[in-house]
Amino acid sequence: MVKKNMKGKDLMEVTGLTKPTVSKLMNDKQVALDVLDRICEALDVELHEVIRRKKEQEG
C-alpha cells in the first residue's frame, strides 16, 4: 500500500473489504488467506509483497 500511495479507505474501495478487516491488516492481526488473495489481485502484486513474517520473541 505504501508503494502505491494507498490508505485503508482506498484499499476498501478496490478490494471490497470491510473496515474491520482492513483494520486488522493495519494492526498486524491475522486475516484469512482469501483476503490476502483479494488484495494481491486488486493491487496486481504477489503474496510475498503484501506479507511479512514476524519472528517470535524469545521469552
Side-chain angles (χ1 to χ4, degrees), residues 38-55:
R38 287 169 64 181
I39 293 169
C40 289
E41 184 73 27
L43 300 181
D44 193 29
V45 297
E46 295 295 324
L47 184 59
H48 71 274
E49 296 178 81
V50 296
I51 61 171
R52 68 174 178 261
R53 186 170 182 262
K54 287 186 173 181
K55 292 184 180 181

Side-chain angles (χ1 to χ4, degrees), residues 7-21:
K7 297 183 179 186
K9 182 179 177 184
D10 302 320
L11 186 63
M12 288 170 45
E13 289 176 7
V14 299
T15 61
L17 296 173
T18 63
K19 188 173 183 176
T21 300

